[in-house]
Amino acid sequence: MIPLSAEDLARFKDYNPTRFSFLMLKLQLNGDWIYLTDRDVPVTYAGATYVPGYITSESIGDIEITSEPATNDVTVTLDARDRTFVAYFLQEGWMNGSATIYEQFADKDGVILTLNIFQGFVDSRDLIPEKQKIDVVLASVWADFEKQSGTKTNSGSQQRYYPSDTAFDHVARAQRKIYWGKPAPVTTTATTTSGASGSGIFSNPNSEL
């Protein structure tokens, strides 16, 4: 239980016409920390300044707050009119970046309570040029506990663990058969010998010195 003084508890629970709440979003993209708020003025919290103008109260999907760990995804819509976030999401390091959403309650006398209402990571993104928006899907930190072990043979699965690996983008063009998850069959090739010494860079280990 979050400890509150009797005065703060009264400000939070009793009728308080000046009380309001707002959201704060903290994202890690390509190694940089991004701080955004749906309030119309900058907000300072835990040493960071959360910038307004990129999200609104409608930008963040519904968050279910439960007493048990939840694995729900949350979609956040970012305003991309000034292209601030476009470069971040066109690079390779955006996937699996840390994501936290706070809800802060305040009134005319200041902050009453700050709650961490979502903890997770950046799972996917969709750039929408015609609307100048970016939809970012955040997966709960508990989502990994529901996944089956191992990775799948596609780029999305591989890049969750190795963000810069694009090997699976080229598998369809590979000519050599790949035996995935089992050893390749052993084949026997007939060989012939001759008296020629050959021209390889390595000497024959069976030749006499």
Side-chain angles (χ1 to χ4, degrees):
M1 184 175 180
I2 300 174
L4 288 174
S5 67
E7 180 183 356
D8 287 342
L9 188 60
R11 290 165 62 199
F12 184 69
K13 295 185 63 176
D14 295 344
Y15 174 70
N16 184 347
T18 70
R19 186 173 63 233
F20 60 94
S21 68
F22 53 89
L23 298 176
M24 298 179 293
L25 170 66
K26 180 171 71 172
L27 288 176
Q28 187 180 32
L29 301 174
N30 302 95
D32 293 341
W33 286 99
I34 311 297
Y35 303 92
L36 306 174
T37 180
D38 65 354
R39 197 176 177 187
D40 56 0
V41 296
V43 176
T44 300
Y45 175 69
T49 298
Y50 289 74
V51 179
Y54 293 100
I55 60 174
T56 68
S57 58
E58 305 298 323
S59 296
I60 299 178
D62 293 336
I63 300 175
E64 182 182 2
I65 301 177
T66 65
S67 58
E68 299 294 330
T71 59
N72 56 303
D73 293 343
V74 174
T75 299
V76 177
T77 300
L78 302 178
D79 190 318
R81 284 177 293 181
D82 67 358
R83 301 184 64 81
T84 296
F85 299 104
V86 174
Y88 279 108
F89 286 105
L90 288 179
Q91 297 179 45
E92 297 180 346
W94 58 268
M95 184 177 285
N96 291 331
S98 176
T100 307
I101 300 175
Y102 301 100
E103 184 172 14
Q104 192 166 92
F105 298 85
D107 61 11
K108 64 180 179 61
D109 295 321
V111 175
I112 304 173
L113 175 66
T114 303
L115 295 176
N116 181 334
I117 61 173
F118 182 87
Q119 189 78 39
F121 54 89
V122 180
D123 184 67
S124 63
R125 52 82 172 124
D126 183 17
L127 280 68
I128 312 173
E130 62 273 15
K131 294 184 178 181
Q132 296 183 303
K133 304 285 186 183
I134 303 175
D135 284 345
V136 183
V137 177
L138 308 179
S140 167
V141 70
W142 297 104
D144 281 338
F145 287 85
E146 284 195 340
K147 295 177 182 175
Q148 296 180 355
S149 61
T151 59
K152 299 178 181 178
T153 54
N154 59 59
S155 289
S157 178
Q158 179 74 350
Q159 289 175 2
R160 181 177 299 282
Y161 302 97
Y162 307 98
S164 62
D165 190 343
T166 61
F168 284 110
D169 290 345
H170 314 288
V171 167
R173 296 192 296 273
Q175 298 300 313
R176 180 182 175 186
K177 187 173 182 179
I178 299 174
Y179 294 88
W180 187 266
K182 62 180 181 180
V186 177
T187 58
T188 304
T189 303
T191 59
T192 58
T193 59
S194 67
S197 61
S199 59
I201 61 172
F202 299 105
S203 61
N204 184 346
N206 296 321
S207 63
E208 296 182 358
L209 297 177

